Amino acid sequence: MNPSFYYVVTWREATDIRRKLTNLGAEYIVTSLPNGEVAFVFPDLPVRIYGSVRQIFGGDGLIFSDSSRII
């Protein structure tokens, strides 16, 4: 997967979000962060799916760059 953007959430939020993303059929990976949070990392997505992902997380994701150091 070629990462494009990501969201950072708490472990408490992660279970519900993972269920919603699986039901949506969105491609993603999940990784633990050193600060105890979780990052959901996504490739470029079709517009319809990206819109649904935005709704799940409540806004735009953070742009992934080589310096993001989350995966």
Side-chain angles (χ1 to χ4, degrees), residues 6-56:
Y6 66 99
Y7 293 90
V8 176
V9 299
T10 65
W11 275 101
R12 178 174 282 196
E13 299 168 300
T15 302
D16 186 48
I17 290 171
R18 190 173 204 161
R19 181 185 50 78
K20 290 176 182 178
L21 292 172
T22 299
N23 289 339
L24 180 61
E27 181 182 353
Y28 66 93
I29 60 170
V30 180
T31 187
S32 298
L33 301 177
N35 66 359
E37 294 181 306
V38 177
F40 284 83
V41 183
F42 298 86
D44 286 335
L45 297 173
V47 173
R48 181 188 62 78
I49 293 178
Y50 178 69
S52 297
V53 169
R54 284 187 74 242
Q55 286 182 329
I56 290 169

